[in-house]
Amino acid sequence: MIDLLVMAGVTYLIRALPLVLVRKKIENRFISSFLYYIPYAVLGCMTFPVILYSTNDICSGIAGTIAGLFFAYQKKGLLFVAIAAVLAVLVIKEVVRFV
Amino acid sequence: MEQFLRGIKDGIPIALGYIAVSFTFGLTAVAGGLSVLQAVLISFMCVTSAGQFAGIEIMFAGGGLVEMAMTQLVINLRYALMSISLSQKADQSMNIFARLLVGFGVTDEIFAVAVGRKEEVGKEYMYGLIVIPWLSWTLGTLGGAALGSILPVILSEAFGIAIYAMFLAIIIPAGREDKNVIWVILIAASISMLVYYTPLKNFISQGFVIIIASVIASVIGAVLYPVNRENDSIN
């Protein structure tokens, strides 16, 4: 329960404090560049390699990853890419089950 | 009131997108051993995708509070930048009280819609924009948490990939726009894989891998490819 409060507290403060305290634009080029890259770096290392193992078998994991990469590259929306990956996983799981 | 309704209308597409991912979150949380109430409370109080998924992994692994706080700090650091950026767009109605409330609901998608508007944004608009996605995030979690156990295994396993596919949908298009972003993603993913596939995995917890990999990759990015003042917005 305490870990939930820590999680919620940190998440809230990091969003609310800058909104209250920082009203000027960040001028430091290094800091603004660092902040620009952080979201992509975080999501990149959270995604790889665990996406391959996220479905409990590597074959369907690879298929889902390929489908996700393909449709993300086509700039499809979040929901579309998620559903496409899930469907690719389901197809491979069904195929594997019958061979 | 008119601005509030405007916000509600703009929030509905975001809310629809949140249902699938929060459903997966609820399912994952309960599968890992949390109660339905805990899963719903986390979504109700945090309203963030990546942070919550990383957070429950730390809970499952029995990680400490410092690790939890540090991980949330790094993963959610992007919100600080979004809040700073949103702050520049706020009108006079956004007093301190309103900012404390709006701060709760700054997600990637809500931020993107708010700063995408031509005019300044006021508190009523932001309240409207936040409330429906917040509810759908919470209710989707409830759905996943409650139905997870009666869902066929093959379906719940397949849903496991949904959150990562969403991450791809965020980072890959950004990488197409700016190839420096691709390099930063590759560096972060390589460090993560290096740890995963070597004995280092036994010494470094998942939360710290995220911190180390993303800070190293972003510092390298900031040093090698500093962003121009003109296009330093997150989108």
Side-chain angles (χ1 to χ4, degrees):
Chain A
M1 199 60 205
I2 296 174
D3 39 12
L4 201 169
L5 292 177
V6 168
M7 193 170 149
V10 173
T11 305
Y12 173 68
L13 289 177
I14 206 164
R15 288 164 156 168
L17 286 184
L19 205 51
V20 174
L21 300 177
V22 186
R23 308 207 180 181
K24 286 194 301 182
K25 207 162 178 64
I26 292 180
E27 298 289 345
N28 184 296
R29 201 167 177 215
F30 176 79
I31 294 176
S32 56
S33 301
F34 177 80
L35 290 173
Y36 168 78
Y37 288 122
I38 266 285
Y40 308 115
V42 166
L43 299 182
C45 68
M46 282 190 76
T47 305
F48 296 100
V50 288
I51 185 173
L52 299 172
Y53 309 102
S54 61
T55 62
N56 279 355
D57 73 290
I58 182 83
C59 290
S60 69
I62 289 172
T65 304
I66 291 171
L69 283 170
F70 178 79
F71 289 111
Y73 191 77
Q74 306 289 319
K75 299 192 177 177
K76 301 289 184 191
L78 301 185
L79 192 60
F80 187 102
V81 175
I83 289 174
V86 168
L87 287 178
V89 169
L90 279 176
V91 168
I92 297 299
K93 276 183 181 289
E94 286 295 334
V95 168
V96 167
R97 205 152 65 157
F98 286 106
V99 289
Chain B
M1 194 61 198
E2 189 205 328
Q3 281 298 309
F4 180 77
L5 291 176
R6 189 66 221 267
I8 295 271
K9 191 170 151 246
D10 290 353
I12 289 171
I14 302 176
L16 290 175
Y18 280 0
I19 290 173
V21 175
S22 58
F23 187 89
T24 312
F25 175 77
L27 204 138
T28 313
V30 170
L34 297 186
S35 68
V36 174
L37 180 66
Q38 280 173 316
V40 172
L41 267 181
I42 291 174
S43 284
F44 184 73
M45 291 168 66
C46 299
V47 211
T48 172
S49 61
Q52 288 185 200
F53 277 89
I56 58 171
E57 289 302 325
I58 294 170
M59 287 182 185
F60 298 159
L65 294 181
V66 174
E67 184 186 355
M68 176 65 89
M70 290 293 294
T71 309
Q72 296 301 315
L73 184 72
V74 172
I75 292 179
N76 293 333
L77 199 53
R78 65 188 195 281
Y79 293 134
L81 182 62
M82 293 179 195
S83 287
I84 292 166
S85 175
L86 186 61
S87 187
Q88 334 266 325
K89 232 183 137 63
D91 69 15
Q92 317 89 297
S93 73
M94 290 271 267
N95 52 30
I96 288 195
F97 181 70
R99 284 166 186 258
L100 286 171
L101 284 180
V102 167
F104 177 76
V106 180
T107 69
D108 305 69
E109 295 78 14
I110 286 167
F111 165 78
V113 169
V115 297
R117 293 188 88 202
K118 291 228 166 36
E119 59 271 56
E120 291 188 312
V121 294
K123 61 179 181 185
E124 288 197 8
Y125 177 77
M126 289 307 297
Y127 295 158
L129 185 63
I130 288 168
V131 70
I132 304 291
W134 179 32
L135 287 178
S136 91
W137 184 253
T138 306
L139 292 176
T141 303
L142 175 64
L147 299 178
S149 53
I150 57 168
L151 214 62
V153 176
I154 188 169
L155 264 183
S156 54
E157 281 182 346
F159 267 109
I161 206 167
I163 178 73
Y164 302 107
M166 274 210 14
F167 292 165
L168 291 178
I170 295 171
I171 63 179
I172 301 297
R176 271 191 77 174
E177 296 291 316
D178 177 354
K179 69 172 178 0
N180 297 336
V181 166
I182 288 284
W183 288 112
V184 170
I185 294 167
L186 284 176
I187 295 167
S190 304
I191 297 171
S192 165
M193 288 195 274
L194 176 75
V195 174
Y196 194 93
Y197 293 117
T198 63
L200 283 173
K201 194 187 181 187
N202 304 320
F203 303 105
I204 313 176
S205 64
Q206 173 69 12
F208 280 112
V209 174
I210 295 169
I211 296 170
I212 295 165
S214 54
V215 168
I216 291 176
S218 302
V219 165
I220 293 175
V223 170
L224 294 184
Y225 319 112
V227 177
N228 293 326
R229 198 65 59 71
E230 318 320 317
N231 53 19
D232 64 353
S233 72
I234 358 215
N235 286 326

